[in-house]
């Protein structure tokens, strides 16, 4: 069964450093998402991406964040200058359709620890 | 704005007894509702979804949920718990009519199954 994959599973970085989290969505999916879950808190939407542009983003997704689909398979989330509060589990998801009722398939997550 | 409330952060049941995980939603339009499960160190897996068809939805692993508009609820049930059901469960809402691309997650319910 096709699945969303994410690398690395765990990333440790120092405050102020740039990190890139990588995701490989399901191959025929057209919509891509990033969510995060700070320890002990709920999963929060960050951004959705379709047709090589951001379709929606949350207040969390400020200028420090960017997303890219550099080739036909990868979908990346970059944090330019990490802060302690960026420590969280980051989930990538993809869906075939973009409407609200379309189910999203999630990857296993990348745990980001900022020290 | 849409929102989801999961009424119990932890639920414990004995193996072989029924499971009830409660979820209430708030949505301006006709919502799509989902239940996802997260096993330790795994991604989020879709259990079932409601998208304005039958109000009683059957999912994987014997789970089902009933959409009750009058009560704005979408509770998850299973007749008989199995040890492998121990995990965290998330209720999710997405607005179909508004075309919102993002999921809104509940805070999660951790299910413990006692032998």
């Amino acid at each position: 069964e096709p699945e969303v994959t994410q690398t690395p599973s765990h990333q440790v970085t120092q405050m102020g450093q740039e990190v890139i989290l990588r995701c490989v969505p399901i191959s025929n999916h057209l919509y891509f998402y990033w969510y995060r879950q700070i320890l002990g808190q709920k999963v929060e939407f960050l951004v959705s991406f379709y047709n090589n542009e951001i379709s929606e983003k949350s207040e969390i997704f400020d200028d420090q964040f960017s997303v890219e689909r550099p080739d036909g398979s990868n979908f990346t989330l970059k944090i330019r200058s990490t802060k302690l509060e960026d420590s969280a589990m980051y989930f990538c998801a993809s869906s075939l359709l973009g409407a609200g009722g379309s189910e999203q398939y999630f990857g296993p997550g990348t745990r980001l620890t900022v020290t | 704005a849409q929102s989801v409330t999961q009424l119990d952060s932890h639920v414990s049941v004995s193996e072989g007894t029924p499971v009830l995980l409660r979820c209430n939603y708030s949505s301006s339009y006709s919502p799509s509702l989902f239940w996802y499960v997260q096993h330790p160190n795994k991604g989020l897996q879709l259990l079932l979804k409601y998208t304005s068809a039958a109000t009683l939805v059957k999912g994987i692993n014997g789970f089902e949920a009933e959409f009750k508009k009058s009560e704005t609820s979408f509770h998850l049930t299973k007749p008989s718990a199995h040890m492998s059901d121990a995990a965290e469960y998330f209720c999710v809402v997405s607005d179909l009519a508004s075309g919102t691309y993002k999921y809104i997650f509940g805070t999660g319910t951790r299910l413990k199954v006692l032998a």
Side-chain angles (χ1 to χ4, degrees), chain A residues 64-94:
Chain A
Q64 292 299 310
F65 291 88
S66 62
V67 288
E68 193 179 28
R69 188 152 161 84
D71 52 42
S73 58
N74 289 284
F75 179 51
T76 62
L77 174 69
K78 183 194 290 187
I79 309 175
R80 255 180 276 283
S81 177
T82 50
K83 307 190 227 5
L84 293 175
E85 54 265 38
D86 293 327
S87 295
M89 181 73 92
Y90 288 81
F91 292 104
C92 173
S94 68

Side-chain angles (χ1 to χ4, degrees), chain A residues 31 33 35 37 41-45 48 50 55-57 89 91 98-109, chain B residues 4 32 34 36 38 41-46 49 51 88 90 94-96 99-108:
Chain A
Y31 296 81
Y33 314 82
Y35 294 80
Q37 185 181 28
Q41 298 184 24
K42 63 167 71 176
V43 178
E44 302 171 289
F45 169 79
S48 59
Y50 168 71
S55 43
E56 188 169 355
K57 61 182 180 179
M89 181 73 92
F91 292 104
S102 180
E103 64 188 74
Q104 297 177 18
Y105 292 79
F106 286 80
Chain B
V4 169
S32 294
F34 307 80
Y36 278 80
Q38 185 181 29
N41 302 314
K42 299 282 188 185
L44 294 154
Q45 181 186 20
L46 179 70
K49 67 177 182 180
T51 54
E88 182 130 28
F90 293 95
S94 180
D95 269 349
L96 183 64
T100 303
Y101 289 75
K102 65 188 179 198
Y103 278 179
I104 305 295
F105 280 77
T107 49

